[in-house]
Amino acid sequence: MKQAYHHGALREALIAAAGTILERDGITALTLRAAAREAGVSHAAPAHHFGSLAGLLSELAAAGFVRFRETIAAEVAAAAPTPDARALAVSRGYVGFARAAPGLFRLMFRSEQLDWTNAALEREGAAAFMLLLPPEADDGPVLPTSPQALNTAMAHWSMVHGLASLLIDGRLQAVASKMHPGVDIEQLIAQIIRTGAG
Amino acid sequence: MKQAYHHGALREALIAAAGTILERDGITALTLRAAAREAGVSHAAPAHHFGSLAGLLSELAAAGFVRFRETIAAEVAAAAPTPDARALAVSRGYVGFARAAPGLFRLMFRSEQLDWTNAALEREGAAAFMLLLPPEADDGPVLPTSPQALNTAMAHWSMVHGLASLLIDGRLQAVASKMHPGVDIEQLIAQIIRTGAG
DNA sequence: TGTACATCAGTGAACGCGCGTTCACTGATGTAC
DNA sequence: TGTACATCAGTGAACGCGCGTTCACTGATGTAC
């Protein structure tokens, strides 16, 4: 590898390094110095790109929301073009993303350390949440108008988000196994998702 | 206040102090030294009662599960003795606890820093999860036997847990307000809980 | 095409801070006789 | 009832560590002319 004095794309490299640390070592290990180490630059280098740790975390979360949307969009594209099939696909993508990148999911949805005034984070986060709403015809998601539609959408979101959370923390598996030893978790997940979308 | 050399109940005092710090300053501020400061003892004192920070956090979470069960039991006791009314009461207690003690809720359900081999934590946590199951007659919760019952119980749990999580992180409020400006959040929560229990 | 210079990105030493942990200690409590 | 002694709980100084941050620097890049 070329050892140029200037990295060329250190900002992106630092975000990628932060993602690696997050999944491998957990959020408590994710510091500016650790990200610099992982990216192979001096520990003072991140300050040129991110003012603080919160800045780096927010950029990482924003990038996470982009991946989150891509994951869901891929599931939707592979599904039948009916409202029910679309809702199932969104749920599958949501839960699948959380299980594939639990550290990133926790950061995006749960971290108190994010700076939500960060422009990229606010934009990408808002765009992601729009995917959770039911579509209107072929025009993509629109805002529900009736209280009933809002209730349904939020209840659906709660169930999918709770399922994802309980899975990545291992709680659902533990309780389900205790209630029903030998249960097929993957099948149970598929059933729960179908319950919520129905 | 008497300044006895021996505290008398320092273990309990340290757990209480840790809870105060958790809700006031967040989990990143919760250290052994901070708990000792809050309890008014020297920084080396906690080592006599908790081997490590994970030990203190686990004891705090165990105490949290006791409070969690008490909160839910109080709602159940105040509700009509029907299965539907009981399910609604459990959901109300679950969400109410999370909103009243969000830091503790996060620690109990989400923290990667807990030591689940801790005897108190495992015992109290398991007892709490049993409350989430549907009751059989007047004998209290029993283990579901059919796959269908397991599916229903886990789907219900997912929705309530997701609702609690999205609320304490402020996400549900943000998205609901954007979708439906001026929406009554408390009424929406009550409706979502009714949706899940129905 | 070549030179001068400004700007930018990354370096490495240094700082002060709070942390967990260790350790000899001290004061209080409990028990044996 | 009194004395001696073991045990226990909390103290305070000290340690090494990784952290964020600062700062003068150096090497590379881009631009003006």
Side-chain angles (χ1 to χ4, degrees):
Chain A
M1 179 182 276
K2 186 173 144 197
Q3 277 295 72
Y5 191 92
H6 286 92
H7 186 285
L10 183 55
R11 182 184 187 84
E12 287 69 30
L14 283 170
I15 293 175
T20 300
I21 294 165
L22 185 59
E23 300 300 342
R24 190 187 57 206
D25 309 318
I27 193 159
T28 57
L30 183 42
T31 63
L32 286 178
R33 285 177 100 114
R37 268 196 305 273
E38 183 76 21
V41 294
S42 75
H43 63 259
H48 286 273
H49 298 278
F50 312 99
S52 64
L53 182 59
L56 172 58
L57 292 179
S58 298
E59 294 289 337
L60 177 57
F65 275 114
V66 173
R67 273 180 54 194
F68 179 67
R69 273 157 51 205
E70 290 169 353
T71 301
I72 292 179
E75 289 281 353
V76 168
T82 67
D84 278 8
R86 180 182 181 280
L88 275 179
V90 169
S91 298
R92 263 199 311 275
Y94 198 110
V95 174
F97 176 86
R99 301 179 83 192
L104 190 53
F105 182 85
R106 288 191 192 98
L107 175 70
M108 289 157 51
F109 282 96
R110 306 169 160 193
S111 178
E112 307 151 90
Q113 301 172 58
L114 295 182
D115 171 18
W116 281 93
T117 67
N118 176 295
L121 178 55
E122 215 211 323
R123 183 181 63 245
E124 303 303 340
F129 293 135
M130 288 303 105
L131 283 178
L132 308 173
L133 311 182
E136 160 131 331
D138 290 296
D139 295 332
V142 296
L143 299 185
T145 48
S146 74
Q148 177 56 39
L150 177 64
N151 177 24
T152 303
M154 295 294 100
H156 182 204
W157 183 21
S158 293
M159 209 219 60
V160 174
H161 184 76
L163 176 58
S165 295
L166 291 172
L167 280 173
I168 65 178
D169 291 330
R171 300 301 165 80
L172 192 133
Q173 295 94 320
V175 174
S177 293
K178 196 171 256 182
M179 284 169 69
H180 205 107
V183 64
D184 181 334
I185 291 291
E186 296 307 320
Q187 195 181 326
L188 175 62
I189 294 169
Q191 281 172 342
I192 295 173
I193 287 178
R194 238 174 283 129
T195 302
Chain B
M1 178 182 279
K2 186 172 143 196
Q3 277 295 74
Y5 191 92
H6 285 92
H7 187 284
L10 183 54
R11 182 185 186 84
E12 287 68 31
L14 283 170
I15 292 176
T20 301
I21 294 166
L22 185 59
E23 300 300 344
R24 190 186 58 205
D25 309 319
I27 192 159
T28 56
L30 182 42
T31 63
L32 287 178
R33 286 178 99 114
R37 268 195 304 274
E38 184 75 21
V41 294
S42 74
H43 63 259
H48 286 272
H49 298 278
F50 312 99
S52 65
L53 181 60
L56 173 58
L57 292 180
S58 299
E59 295 289 337
L60 177 58
F65 275 114
V66 173
R67 274 181 54 196
F68 180 67
R69 272 156 52 206
E70 290 170 352
T71 303
I72 291 178
E75 289 281 352
V76 169
T82 67
D84 277 9
R86 180 183 182 279
L88 274 179
V90 169
S91 297
R92 263 200 310 275
Y94 197 111
V95 173
F97 176 86
R99 300 179 82 191
L104 190 53
F105 181 85
R106 288 192 192 98
L107 175 69
M108 289 157 52
F109 282 97
R110 305 170 161 190
S111 178
E112 308 153 89
Q113 302 172 59
L114 295 182
D115 172 18
W116 281 92
T117 66
N118 178 294
L121 178 56
E122 215 211 325
R123 181 181 65 246
E124 302 303 340
F129 293 136
M130 288 303 104
L131 282 179
L132 307 173
L133 311 182
E136 163 130 329
D138 290 297
D139 296 332
V142 296
L143 300 185
T145 48
S146 73
Q148 177 56 39
L150 178 64
N151 176 24
T152 302
M154 294 295 101
H156 181 205
W157 183 21
S158 293
M159 209 219 60
V160 174
H161 185 76
L163 176 58
S165 295
L166 291 171
L167 280 173
I168 65 179
D169 291 330
R171 301 302 166 81
L172 192 133
Q173 295 92 321
V175 172
S177 293
K178 196 171 255 184
M179 283 170 70
H180 205 106
V183 64
D184 181 334
I185 292 290
E186 296 307 321
Q187 195 181 327
L188 176 61
I189 293 169
Q191 281 173 341
I192 294 174
I193 286 177
R194 241 175 282 130
T195 302

